[in-house]
């Protein structure tokens, strides 16, 4: 694979342009072209000569959409191909206030959560900052209208564990929020983690006021470990302490994700324990309907019981919502598209 130009920030682009013997103002043309989601070879302002030089060293287009699935509710799911042929996936969800894109941070994942399709073949490799950014650039280009962005919000909730690819994810966050770049507000970005405690403390120190979301999915360490192997390493108590620290350092409320799995985590006792764990904390609980993964033997909780569980949490004083299911007609969450695609290929 060649280098990825989208890894560079504006200062890096300036340096590159000068090192190739071009005038400094070319950096702006180059950077603007990239941020419009163009292939290198398609940036109109640059001379053929300069583009040829760039293309010797850099990928023309590090992330390419190879398939789009359109949901009845406007949701779009994408299969992306990376320059080395690896496949990742992403989603764009349309809301009244704007469009939220879900991006992947790794090819596959090594966290091993039993309900998640991303982890079926383990982690293949990390994505670079520019590969994460390029997912946004190509989708934004599809939906941008004039000066209105096509992507207004970003969630790092696709395949991969973002805090397991820490440096690249931080670089991506700095670049996507940069004024010369897409300039998306950090407050419109959410990062979801299964709870890598040390990295949660690191994140709090970065000075990036993004929303922190933690995949909790159970109330005791023993039960949590049944579906989330990482629970053997990090205790719920330590995760909650790291969340408190995040709030102290950033002033941002945090969010817990809780996917309802029949017989695993959603009895009345779990509701009670969840209330005890979280009461009084500046947090919100997002209940998620399990997307059943065909390779795994876990069942989603029925709708009626899901609302009952939500009711118990609310009665106990928690701020909670049951997430509206979006794009369910176009197949799955977190790695299910890619898994299906790889299956079909074999
Ligand atoms: N690695 C990060 C991002 C994962 S995806 C993390 O663990 O948080 C975002 C959320 O979807 C996580 O809460 C994850 O646990 C959940 N999830 C994954 N597969 C799911 C499925 N099949 N059904 C419901 N939720 C799922």
């Amino acid at each position: 694979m060649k280098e990825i130009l989208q890894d560079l920030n504006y200062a890096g682009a300036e340096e590159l342009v000068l090192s190739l013997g071009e005038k400094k103002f070319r950096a702006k043309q180059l950077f603007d072209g990239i941020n419009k989601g163009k292939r290198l070879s398609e940036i109109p302002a640059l001379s053929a000569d300069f583009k040829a030089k760039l293309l010797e060293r850099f990928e023309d287009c590090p992330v390419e959409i190879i398939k789009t699935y359109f949901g009845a509710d406007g949701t779009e799911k994408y299969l992306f191909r990376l320059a080395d042929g690896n496949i990742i996936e992403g989603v764009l969800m349309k809301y009244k206030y704007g469009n939220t894109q879900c991006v992947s941070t790794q090819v596959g994942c090594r966290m091993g959560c039993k309900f998640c399709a991303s982890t079926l073949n383990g982690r293949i490799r990390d994505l670079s900052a520019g590969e994460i950014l390029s997912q946004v650039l190509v989708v934004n280009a599809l939906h941008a209208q004039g000066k209105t962005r096509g992507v207004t919000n970003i969630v790092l909730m696709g395949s991969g564990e973002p805090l397991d690819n820490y440096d690249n994810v931080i670089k991506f966050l700095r670049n996507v929020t940069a004024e010369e770049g897409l300039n998306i507000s950090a407050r419109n970005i959410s990062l979801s983690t299964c709870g890598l405690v040390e990295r949660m403390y690191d994140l709090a120190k970065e000075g990036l006021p993004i929303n922190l979301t933690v995949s909790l999915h159970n109330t005791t360490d023993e039960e949590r470990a049944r579906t989330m192997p990482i629970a053997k390493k990090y205790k719920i108590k330590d995760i909650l302490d790291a969340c408190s620290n995040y709030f102290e350092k950033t002033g941002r409320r945090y969010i817990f994700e809780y996917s309802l799995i029949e017989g695993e985590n959603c009895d009345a006792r779990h509701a009670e324990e969840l209330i005890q764990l979280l009461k009084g904390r500046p947090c919100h609980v997002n209940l998620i309907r399990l997307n059943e993964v065909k390779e795994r033997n876990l069942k989603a909780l029925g709708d009626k019981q899901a609302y009952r569980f939500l009711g118990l949490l609310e009665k106990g004083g928690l701020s909670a919502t049951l997430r509206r299911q979006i794009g369910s007609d176009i197949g799955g969450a977190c790695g299910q598209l890619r898994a299906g695609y790889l299956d079909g290929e074999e």
Side-chain angles (χ1 to χ4, degrees):
M1 230 166 84
K2 296 181 191 172
E3 288 176 62
I4 291 177
L5 215 140
Q6 289 77 356
D7 282 337
L8 299 178
N9 61 13
Y10 191 69
E14 278 188 341
E15 233 171 82
L16 170 73
V17 163
L18 292 175
S19 77
L20 293 175
E22 295 281 332
K23 296 245 157 52
K24 203 169 169 181
F25 73 90
R26 295 279 174 211
K28 183 158 170 36
Q29 295 173 330
L30 175 62
F31 212 66
D32 285 352
I34 280 171
N35 279 292
K36 288 199 175 107
K38 293 204 183 310
R39 293 170 169 272
L40 270 184
S41 56
E42 276 176 354
I43 300 177
L46 305 179
S47 71
D49 214 37
F50 180 35
K51 278 193 272 206
K53 259 192 252 169
L54 289 173
L55 286 166
E56 274 170 31
R57 217 174 112 186
F58 296 99
E59 289 297 340
D60 188 24
C61 176
V63 173
E64 203 157 0
I65 298 177
I66 55 166
K67 200 164 176 175
T68 306
Y69 304 81
F70 297 93
D73 57 8
T75 300
E76 294 183 9
K77 297 196 179 172
Y78 312 100
L79 276 176
F80 300 108
R81 188 174 44 223
L82 307 177
D84 65 357
N86 269 304
I87 302 291
I88 54 171
E89 64 188 75
V91 187
L92 188 72
M93 296 159 282
K94 296 175 186 169
Y95 298 100
K96 282 194 201 84
Y97 57 78
N99 296 335
T100 299
Q101 185 177 354
C102 176
V103 299
S104 294
T105 54
Q106 295 176 317
V107 182
C109 183
R110 58 175 178 161
M111 296 297 124
C113 300
K114 292 280 189 314
F115 42 79
C116 182
S118 297
T119 208
L120 287 169
N121 299 308
R123 185 197 64 165
I124 312 296
R125 70 170 175 89
D126 288 338
L127 298 186
S128 80
E131 287 175 316
I132 305 172
L133 178 65
S134 291
Q135 296 168 56
V136 182
L137 295 178
V138 293
V139 170
N140 183 62
L142 280 180
H143 293 276
Q145 285 176 336
K147 283 207 164 3
T148 311
R149 282 191 199 97
V151 176
T152 54
N153 297 63
I154 298 172
V155 295
L156 282 72
M157 297 188 185
S159 291
E161 165 51 47
L163 297 187
D164 187 40
N165 182 16
Y166 188 83
D167 293 342
N168 289 324
V169 163
I170 296 297
K171 188 166 159 191
F172 157 72
L173 292 170
R174 296 209 188 286
N175 289 350
V176 79
T177 54
E179 231 173 273
E180 308 91 344
L182 278 186
N183 194 12
I184 292 181
S185 162
R187 287 160 197 279
N188 291 353
I189 302 177
S190 299
L191 180 150
S192 180
T193 177
C194 60
L196 305 187
V197 169
E198 296 92 347
R199 292 312 204 179
M200 292 169 70
Y201 281 95
D202 292 340
L203 184 65
K205 286 188 262 185
E206 298 286 352
L208 280 162
I210 58 167
N211 305 301
L212 177 64
T213 296
V214 176
S215 300
L216 191 58
H217 304 323
N218 223 314
T219 52
T220 65
D221 293 319
E222 296 70 36
E223 287 176 290
R224 190 166 183 259
R226 285 167 52 101
T227 53
M228 300 181 73
I230 196 71
K232 295 189 192 110
K233 185 156 179 208
Y234 298 108
K235 304 289 165 229
I236 293 174
K237 182 187 171 301
D238 296 330
I239 293 175
L240 294 182
D241 286 348
C243 288
S244 301
N245 174 70
Y246 194 79
F247 179 73
E248 278 163 33
K249 294 273 165 18
T250 64
R252 310 287 292 158
R253 277 197 337 161
Y254 40 92
I255 292 170
F256 294 103
E257 314 208 76
Y258 201 96
S259 297
L260 298 165
I261 311 173
E262 192 181 76
E264 289 287 337
N265 63 359
C266 37
D267 296 342
R269 170 186 56 93
H270 290 106
E272 189 45 47
E273 287 174 353
L274 202 53
I275 293 163
Q276 291 314 320
L277 281 173
L278 304 184
K279 214 158 97 176
R281 289 178 165 271
C283 71
H284 181 80
V285 180
N286 234 332
L287 298 176
I288 306 173
R289 292 172 170 88
L290 184 76
N291 250 300
E292 292 176 7
V293 175
K294 70 175 190 318
E295 291 82 354
R296 310 285 202 199
N297 212 3
L298 297 169
K299 290 270 161 290
L301 188 69
D303 238 25
K304 219 169 122 189
Q305 293 108 299
Y307 278 106
R308 193 180 307 145
F309 193 80
L310 173 67
L312 290 174
L313 298 188
E314 287 174 331
K315 222 169 100 192
L318 297 189
S319 155
T321 39
L322 179 59
R323 195 190 279 174
R324 181 167 71 96
Q325 201 155 22
I326 36 183
S328 52
D329 54 333
I330 46 172
C334 285
Q336 279 173 289
L337 274 189
R338 168 171 174 267
Y341 177 83
L342 296 179
D343 262 4
E345 231 182 14
E346 280 155 17

